[in-house]
Amino acid sequence: MAEEPKVGVYVCHCGVNIASVVNVKAVVEHASTLPNVVVAKDYPFMCSDPGQNMIIEDIKAKGLNRVVVASCSPRMHEPTFRKALERAGLNPYLLEMANIREHCSWVHEKQPQEATEKAKDLVEAAVAKARMLKPLETVRMPAVKRALVIGGGVAGIRAALDIANSGFEVYLVEKRPSIGGNMARLDKTFPTLDCSQCILTPMMVEAAQHPNIKLLTYSEVQSIDGSVGNFTVKILKKPRYVNEDLCTGCGICEQKCPYTVPSEFNLGLGKRKVIYFEFPQAVPLKPVLDRDNCVYFKKGTCRACEKFCPAKAIDYTQQPKEITINVGAIILATGYALYDVKTRMPEYRYGLSKNVITGLELERLTSATGPTKGAILRPGDKKEPKNVAIILCVGSRDEKHLDYCCRFGCVAGIKHAYYIVSHIPDAKVTICYTDIRAFGKGYEDFYARIRALDNVQFIRGRPMEIFEDSNGSLYFDVFDQNTNRLIRLNPDLVVLETGVVPDPSFEQIATVLKCSRGPDGFALELHPKLRPTETSVDGVFIAGVVQGPKDIPDTVAQAGAAAASAIALLARGEVESVPNVASVNQDLCSGCGVCEPICPYTAIVLEARNGGRVAKVEATKCKGCGACAAACPSGAMTQLGFEDKQLIPQIEVLARGR
Amino acid sequence: MKMYLYLGCTTPTKQYGYELSVRAVFPKLGIELVDMPDTNCCGTPLMGVNRFYNVYAPARLMAIAEAGGLDIVAPCNGCHLALSEAAFLLRERRHLLEQVNALLKEEGLKYTGKARVYHPVEALHDLVGVEKISSAIAYKLPPLKFACHPGCHLVRPSHIGRPEKRDGKLKLEALTEAIGLQTRDHPEKYECCGAAMIPYSTDAAIKTVAMRIKRFVEGGFDGVTTLCPYCFDMIDGKQDAAKTITGDRSLSIPTFYYTQLLGLAMGISERELGLNLNMSPVGSVLEKLRR
Amino acid sequence: MQTYAQTDILDAVRKVIGDQRPEACYQCMKCTSGCPAAKVSDYRPHMMVILTKAGLAEEVMRSGIIWACSMCLKCKEYCPQDVAPFDVVTALKNVAISRGYKPPEMLVGMANNVLDYGYIMDKPMTITTTEFEEVSRDTLGLPKLVHPKDVEKFKKLVSSFGYRRLS
């Protein structure tokens, strides 16, 4: 360092948060006695405009070249003060903060004298480090102005459209043959009872036709490399065995196919052909040949689809295709799956009794495109049920299963009651609920409407189990707290509103991306209230149920928010790397390789040099965790902004006795 | 192998058929049963009177077994639960273990958890094995339809580990099929026999077992089998009371301990198996089961 | 008018061994829905829990309804909050006895027999066979009943942790 450090120390009162415990004036006085401290001041709110201006003016007037701010946690205002330094013409990394709030006044409320002494030490330590700080340059890299949305449900479609409408290219990757997700399975959406397909299909078509959206359906993400602004993603496009350029979507192949298997889209309730369209409004409207069940692939015979296709679009030789793309931002919108009630809650007999179904299966029954063309028929004998029991909270709010609330089960169950009584006028419905959560716009009204119906009974009680007698009839007991009676119900159809979990595909993607998950398995947002779409991985955003159970309005709103975050990134067109990255002195490095496997972000590679090898840090991937620097036995690896010669003076101040 | 036979209270003072049939079949399957040198009630019926007794008493029994170097077979569901739950709690709660061992020390005993506890369902299914049983029997019983009633305490509370699971086939069902009988699922298979309600209200208890018997009858079963003296006492012993209290004359079904059925298949005499002690109408079924 | 916050019962319940968590209950009714005793009596496990939580359990200890539980353990197995109503009620029973409330007569006999003989029965029963013979342990050739080796010592040890003779 050529010039003498000139340190300015600024001690914040933070209103009464710091000042009511720590004697701020005493800290300022102590700071002013330290070597190299040119000015020491205090102020009620350092982060305010006048507070920041105080620092800026002092830098200009007094020629300060180092700044120490003693205030709250750097996680709150480090960016604020760095920007202030920048405005004053000083390198923003010549700032050191001393946390005398979270680490001092807030935790030592009852010991103001000791807290003050501690604050003095923390400031002195910060000054010791500040003297040794070096200017650091952020690297600005161009961001690839393209986004990737993983998941083609309503969240993914909305996010893709918003990004595309802003003028940016976006890839929309969906593992199933068609986009639409779980919303495409619904018959109607509450509380307006709009036809789900009718409101979703226009969005799906818009996404397919948008010049800025590249749809990759029947495709799965294999790997994601790189970092914000520059991700390299490998996607595997699975073979449909149909040439999509030649196929017109006429459907003759599906008609002529002689074989059927259970339909996944219909949740096993109906059948589909081996070459099939997922559903009539599928986007893209191209069929898929299910190779595992195809007689041609198994035995070499049939080939009916090939024979009858007027466009000669069937191609049995089609191979999986690996596509590599470069994007600047990624949005995860992989959606949900239902809780595995069959294995985990055998007492409800889902999977054992045919007439016990899930709410989503009921949607397939009532849906005009479903296996019964919209007629509600019991899976057991295909007759209309007259006595339906709908059970809410199956597996939810349960310490033994899913401890969280599924958020939409209550209103979905009320909607399902409506389905039954509107399709089957002489049917009776009993809803067994625990607490009705009808929080959204129009939900309470909807609840009131259904509650008023004579043929719908609300029972406040959660049944423990369901039985099937020797004639195949279902029965169960439930205690109704409302009427204080133990009721025996004999439904001919039971609908379970089950809890939800993140779609299984999320597990692999989260691991690949190192996207944090909460204890409930859903993607972890940076802040539950203020930053719901950002994750711990820069450039990766989340939208929809992958972040937590929610209804369609909240999903779409969050998709817009995630898109906005992505658009902001792409619009800036460049990303700044945080300069506190690992840095290797290759002259000192012995190539021992201890650092490489320690890095959780695979940011270190070993490269050949002078007949041996040395470590090399890919700064764009490095997150500045410091693990490699701590592990390096020779001191070749350091972390910029946290070098030994910066930390040791700090430690020396804090470790000296009193 | 040798195992201590811990009979509890109800079996040796009332349910002699169970004790007789257990003593008759186990040695023939390679398990020599040794009487406990010292014993006490396991505490299950008295959990409401003194909860700590229900930890100390099983620990005492397991410490006695440990001192003798043998594992325990406990034919009563309630006893098996008491022993298993005490073992679980003593593993999880250090202060309980210390309290219990302080008392045991007075008698020169110590509990370390070494002695393992088996229910006959486990001993027969896991230690002997279905294959060995199939080959050890003298003849296969005719494929009459039997309902298996495991009893609450063989199934719950599942978090401490129980011999039976609520899902799929019961070990008891596998054992029943191993001797030639047929089993079938029936609703309320895992439901309660009502025995523990007897002290509070005989009426309530009988009404409860009546519901179980109704399901057996509706299911068209030829008989019922169980391996718990309380469940047997209720299902086998209270059929007349059930008929009287509910007015339903159809509540009648031949009820056997599984070990009695196994003994028959092994060619052991009906007298030796205590089959003349069953209170339900077993005569017609016995005729069909005889060789 | 009743008031809440009689925490002495809740405190006493918490002191009994077990996994009881009456405070966690959100009254979902699952326990009572599956309870065998609820089907044949006025016993309501959810009510036992909420009364304990609210400090109002005196009335159920007094009425003796707490003794109706059939010990099937379904409430413990399926409770979504690990309240374990069974554990709460068993603890209530223990507390009731310590406060002088009498359990059902049969249990009094059984509890006292354990003190005197180590068994809930004082002696093996005589039963009638299908051939109208009267038999008991000895006539059936079963080995003699084993008792606690030192009954007096057993009584003393068991009494030392509060197991009292009931009257």
Side-chain angles (χ1 to χ4, degrees):
Chain A
M1 195 91 340
E3 49 168 10
E4 193 64 18
K6 287 186 182 155
V7 187
V9 176
Y10 299 89
V11 184
C12 185
H13 295 215
C14 194
V16 296
N17 278 299
I18 293 175
S20 63
V21 177
V22 170
N23 182 340
V24 178
K25 297 276 185 227
V27 176
V28 166
E29 224 215 275
H30 177 75
S32 59
T33 66
L34 301 170
N36 300 113
V37 172
V38 168
V39 59
K41 289 180 178 165
D42 63 283
Y43 191 74
F45 295 101
M46 282 312 303
C47 55
S48 64
D49 264 350
Q52 292 181 52
N53 284 333
M54 189 198 311
I55 300 177
I56 293 171
E57 271 152 34
D58 280 354
I59 290 174
K60 291 185 182 150
K62 296 188 169 33
L64 298 179
N65 55 24
R66 301 285 184 281
V67 173
V68 168
V69 178
S71 62
C72 51
S73 162
R75 292 181 70 129
M76 284 286 315
H77 279 306
E78 189 174 67
T80 312
F81 293 118
R82 288 215 198 282
K83 287 198 184 86
L85 261 66
E86 225 176 345
R87 289 205 299 281
L90 198 60
N91 183 289
Y93 292 88
L94 295 172
L95 166 81
E96 184 64 21
M97 286 183 72
N99 182 346
I100 59 170
R101 189 180 76 172
E102 282 86 336
H103 286 185
C104 196
S105 69
W106 271 1
V107 293
H108 301 306
E109 269 177 33
K110 304 229 167 47
Q111 297 164 287
Q113 275 173 317
E114 287 92 326
T116 304
E117 293 307 305
K118 179 171 171 179
K120 286 182 191 169
D121 280 350
L122 288 173
V123 169
E124 190 173 336
V127 170
K129 182 170 175 205
R131 287 191 197 106
M132 304 307 294
L133 285 174
K134 293 198 289 241
L136 296 176
E137 296 309 318
T138 53
V139 180
R140 287 196 157 80
M141 294 161 306
V144 174
K145 288 188 182 219
R146 201 181 295 125
L148 165 66
V149 176
I150 305 178
V154 66
I157 295 171
R158 176 81 262 149
L161 284 171
D162 285 351
I163 296 174
N165 286 334
S166 300
F168 296 106
E169 238 181 74
V170 53
Y171 283 94
L172 179 54
V173 173
E174 165 57 49
K175 68 171 194 254
R176 298 228 311 258
S178 166
I179 53 174
N182 277 316
M183 188 175 166
R185 288 187 163 118
L186 303 180
D187 174 23
K188 297 183 174 29
T189 54
F190 57 73
T192 50
L193 301 175
D194 282 305
C195 154
S196 182
Q197 286 277 5
C198 305
I199 58 177
L200 182 62
T201 318
M203 280 173 74
M204 287 163 62
V205 171
E206 200 189 335
Q209 296 182 339
H210 202 296
N212 281 340
I213 296 182
K214 285 204 167 38
L215 212 51
L216 287 172
T217 53
Y218 209 47
S219 303
E220 290 182 33
V221 170
Q222 301 285 294
S223 70
I224 303 178
D225 260 315
S227 58
V228 58
N230 208 325
F231 293 104
T232 305
V233 185
K234 285 200 171 64
I235 298 167
L236 188 70
K237 193 163 168 43
K238 299 179 286 194
R240 285 177 188 253
Y241 303 104
V242 170
N243 185 329
E244 290 179 60
D245 295 324
L246 297 176
C247 172
T248 60
C250 69
I252 289 178
C253 55
E254 189 185 46
Q255 254 179 54
K256 297 293 187 190
C257 176
Y259 300 100
T260 60
V261 289
S263 158
E264 295 89 348
F265 186 74
N266 286 327
L267 303 164
L269 283 175
K271 294 217 186 295
R272 61 156 171 85
K273 295 296 179 69
V274 171
I275 183 166
Y276 67 107
F277 294 86
E278 258 213 296
F279 51 95
Q281 299 87 352
V283 169
L285 193 61
K286 310 278 178 198
V288 167
L289 180 74
D290 172 10
R291 185 206 174 105
D292 294 332
N293 286 303
C294 173
V295 162
Y296 166 71
F297 278 105
K298 290 206 281 203
K299 299 193 212 161
T301 53
C302 184
R303 304 181 80 138
C305 48
E306 189 189 42
K307 199 158 61 182
F308 288 100
C309 174
K312 304 260 174 286
I314 305 292
D315 177 9
Y316 298 118
T317 66
Q318 203 176 69
Q319 294 298 313
K321 204 163 111 178
E322 206 183 71
I323 301 171
T324 305
I325 59 174
N326 259 108
V327 296
I330 300 178
I331 296 184
L332 295 183
T334 47
Y336 70 89
L338 296 184
Y339 185 57
D340 181 11
V341 176
K342 179 167 169 203
T343 324
R344 307 288 192 146
M345 303 184 89
E347 64 271 18
Y348 282 116
R349 293 194 71 85
Y350 177 69
L352 290 171
S353 289
K354 283 213 176 83
N355 295 319
V356 176
I357 63 176
T358 60
L360 206 54
E361 286 171 335
L362 181 66
E363 297 282 349
R364 292 320 302 143
L365 291 178
T366 54
S367 181
T369 60
T372 57
K373 304 271 179 285
I376 301 182
L377 303 174
R378 306 174 348 131
D381 58 6
K382 304 286 188 281
K383 289 201 166 73
E384 269 188 340
K386 298 292 184 199
N387 216 305
V388 182
I390 300 177
I391 304 179
L392 309 185
C393 274
V394 175
S396 299
R397 303 181 62 192
D398 192 325
E399 295 289 320
K400 296 178 165 83
H401 298 282
L402 306 174
D403 62 4
Y404 49 89
C405 167
C406 77
R407 243 172 111 117
F408 54 73
C410 284
V411 195
I414 292 170
K415 175 183 60 159
H416 293 155
Y418 171 79
Y419 283 175
I420 308 285
V421 300
S422 61
H423 274 71
I424 311 170
D426 60 338
K428 291 212 177 338
V429 178
T430 311
I431 300 181
C432 298
Y433 72 95
T434 303
D435 292 301
I436 294 288
R437 292 171 170 191
F439 55 89
K441 199 161 183 176
Y443 294 4
E444 190 63 46
D445 206 64
F446 185 52
Y447 173 31
R449 231 178 88 195
I450 306 306
R451 194 169 67 234
L453 297 174
D454 284 340
N455 45 2
V456 177
Q457 201 67 238
F458 280 80
I459 283 186
R460 196 198 175 260
R462 196 183 297 190
M464 186 187 272
E465 62 213 325
I466 297 177
F467 296 107
E468 184 182 304
D469 71 16
S470 44
N471 301 322
S473 303
L474 300 170
Y475 67 96
F476 64 90
D477 292 331
V478 60
F479 186 78
D480 180 9
Q481 198 185 36
N482 291 338
T483 55
N484 201 35
R485 279 164 170 68
L486 189 62
I487 313 261
R488 155 84 34 116
L489 292 175
N490 297 281
D492 43 20
L493 179 70
V494 173
V495 181
L496 304 176
E497 307 296 345
T498 65
V500 298
V501 295
D503 184 276
S505 62
F506 176 58
E507 167 94 36
Q508 182 238 354
I509 293 181
T511 311
V512 162
L513 273 176
K514 300 199 170 41
C515 172
S516 301
R517 274 163 280 178
D520 49 19
F522 291 94
L524 197 60
E525 63 291 305
L526 269 192
H527 190 283
K529 285 186 160 34
L530 303 178
R531 301 170 81 176
T533 60
E534 297 164 78
T535 65
S536 53
V537 185
D538 283 334
V540 174
F541 307 98
I542 45 182
V545 183
V546 72
Q547 183 259 351
K550 53 178 69 69
D551 52 9
I552 294 170
D554 287 349
T555 296
V556 173
Q558 195 178 43
S565 300
I567 291 165
L569 206 168
L570 301 179
R572 275 199 303 274
E574 59 178 21
V575 284
E576 256 180 35
S577 67
V578 176
N580 297 109
V581 292
S583 164
V584 63
N585 181 338
Q586 290 191 330
D587 293 330
L588 287 181
C589 175
S590 66
C592 71
V594 165
C595 54
E596 195 226 358
I598 282 185
C599 177
Y601 305 100
T602 57
I604 300 181
V605 289
L606 292 158
E607 58 179 15
R609 192 190 191 227
N610 296 342
R613 60 178 197 172
V614 287
K616 175 164 168 247
V617 176
E618 284 175 51
T620 51
K621 280 187 174 182
C622 174
K623 298 263 176 231
C625 73
C628 57
C632 176
S634 61
M637 187 73 79
T638 53
Q639 188 176 352
L640 298 177
F642 293 93
E643 298 176 48
D644 282 358
K645 57 175 178 291
Q646 292 162 346
L647 295 177
I648 288 176
Q650 211 175 10
I651 296 170
E652 280 176 344
V653 168
L654 295 171
R656 69 177 179 217
R658 287 206 159 274
Chain B
M1 65 179 103
K2 271 196 201 171
M3 293 177 83
Y4 276 126
L5 177 63
Y6 171 64
L7 291 165
C9 299
T10 305
T11 307
T13 58
K14 191 176 180 195
Q15 288 295 326
Y16 304 121
Y18 198 9
E19 185 177 347
L20 285 167
S21 56
V22 163
R23 286 190 190 274
V25 306
F26 270 62
K28 292 198 162 61
L29 293 169
I31 301 180
E32 192 194 316
L33 296 172
V34 178
D35 287 321
M36 298 274 287
D38 188 348
T39 195
N40 51 263
C41 168
C42 72
T44 293
L46 304 170
M47 273 178 95
V49 173
N50 190 300
R51 184 68 179 83
F52 184 76
Y53 179 86
N54 193 236
V55 178
Y56 165 72
R60 183 173 187 272
L61 293 163
M62 289 186 277
I64 290 167
E66 202 177 316
L70 298 178
D71 290 333
I72 300 175
V73 61
C76 169
N77 286 10
C79 296
H80 186 268
L81 177 64
L83 293 162
S84 307
E85 192 156 43
F88 180 82
L89 285 174
L90 292 168
R91 256 201 315 277
E92 303 272 306
R93 294 172 208 200
R94 171 130 235 123
H95 67 279
L96 270 184
L97 181 64
E98 283 165 8
Q99 268 178 285
V100 158
N101 271 331
L103 290 163
L104 290 175
K105 196 160 172 206
E106 303 275 328
E107 294 189 280
L109 294 166
K110 186 166 185 204
Y111 173 85
T112 66
K114 193 148 159 270
R116 297 188 51 190
V117 181
Y118 295 89
H119 185 272
V121 130
E122 292 175 299
L124 292 171
H125 185 276
D126 301 334
L127 295 180
V128 177
V130 161
E131 311 259 300
K132 184 149 177 223
I133 288 176
S134 293
S135 45
I137 54 179
Y139 68 102
K140 256 187 146 58
L141 299 178
L144 297 180
K145 234 168 70 167
F146 263 71
C148 291
H149 177 91
C152 301
H153 299 164
L154 270 194
V155 190
R156 296 180 283 270
S158 61
H159 76 282
I160 68 170
R162 301 310 295 131
E164 298 279 20
K165 278 190 178 47
R166 184 193 185 143
D167 198 4
K169 209 184 197 100
L170 291 171
K171 287 180 182 170
L172 183 58
E173 284 171 330
L175 288 170
T176 305
E177 287 173 4
I179 57 177
L181 297 167
Q182 258 189 74
T183 64
R184 201 134 304 169
D185 205 10
H186 64 274
E188 301 175 26
K189 186 156 77 172
Y190 305 96
E191 289 297 292
C192 185
C193 69
M197 282 193 263
I198 293 262
Y200 175 77
S201 157
T202 319
D203 205 76
I206 306 281
K207 282 193 179 127
T208 304
V209 74
M211 289 190 247
R212 307 289 93 76
I213 299 172
K214 184 86 194 159
R215 294 300 174 198
F216 297 140
V217 169
E218 279 174 356
F221 290 99
D222 297 303
V224 177
T225 182
T226 186
L227 276 178
C228 170
Y230 280 105
C231 295
F232 185 87
D233 195 68
M234 294 300 291
I235 300 172
D236 170 77
K238 305 284 191 278
Q239 289 181 16
D240 284 341
K243 286 190 208 122
T244 310
I245 287 182
T246 63
D248 184 346
R249 309 306 306 172
S250 75
L251 297 178
S252 175
I253 187 142
T255 311
F256 299 84
Y257 281 107
Y258 170 73
T259 38
Q260 289 177 319
L261 296 169
L262 174 56
L264 274 179
M266 290 170 85
I268 301 174
S269 79
E270 290 175 22
R271 198 158 183 98
E272 213 180 316
L273 296 168
L275 278 161
N276 58 346
L277 304 171
N278 295 30
M279 290 175 68
S280 58
V282 294
S284 50
V285 167
L286 271 180
E287 266 177 39
K288 296 189 194 137
L289 292 176
R290 281 177 196 130
R291 205 173 197 167
Chain C
M1 291 302 282
Q2 288 189 308
T3 53
Y4 290 119
Q6 282 173 273
T7 56
D8 60 318
I9 298 176
L10 186 55
D11 291 337
V13 159
R14 286 197 172 119
K15 287 202 175 75
V16 179
I17 298 163
D19 295 317
Q20 55 273 23
R21 300 201 315 148
E23 66 275 5
C25 176
Y26 60 70
Q27 296 284 286
C28 70
M29 305 296 125
K30 205 186 225 201
C31 52
T32 302
S33 294
C35 174
K39 298 186 210 297
V40 293
S41 74
D42 289 331
Y43 181 70
R44 305 278 180 261
H46 77 274
M47 198 51 129
M48 305 294 117
V49 173
I50 196 69
L51 288 176
T52 304
K53 184 176 173 171
L56 297 169
E58 193 83 37
E59 65 187 58
V60 292
M61 293 197 290
R62 195 181 309 124
S63 76
I65 187 75
I66 51 176
W67 297 97
C69 168
S70 76
M71 293 182 71
C72 76
L73 304 178
K74 280 166 70 182
C75 58
K76 185 165 176 169
E77 183 75 9
Y78 296 110
C79 173
Q81 286 293 296
D82 293 336
V83 167
F86 172 75
D87 286 13
V88 175
V89 174
T90 304
L92 266 183
K93 289 175 182 172
N94 275 245
V95 171
I97 290 206
S98 71
R99 290 180 182 212
Y101 291 108
K102 261 189 76 164
E105 201 60 47
M106 203 171 166
L107 281 182
V108 172
M110 286 158 70
N112 293 340
N113 282 338
V114 167
L115 267 184
D116 295 328
Y117 308 102
Y119 285 88
I120 57 179
M121 306 284 235
D122 50 355
K123 58 181 189 298
M125 283 178 72
T126 304
I127 59 178
T128 317
T129 70
T130 47
E131 292 117 8
F132 300 101
E133 263 184 82
E134 293 221 324
V135 292
S136 182
R137 252 193 110 70
D138 32 355
T139 53
L140 287 169
L142 289 166
K144 240 177 125 60
L145 261 194
V146 175
H147 289 272
K149 234 196 238 174
D150 184 344
V151 177
E152 286 311 310
K153 190 149 196 191
F154 178 73
K155 229 190 272 198
K156 194 177 124 237
L157 287 168
V158 157
S159 306
S160 76
F161 53 77
Y163 187 121
R164 300 265 174 277
R165 185 174 296 279
L166 300 173
S167 46

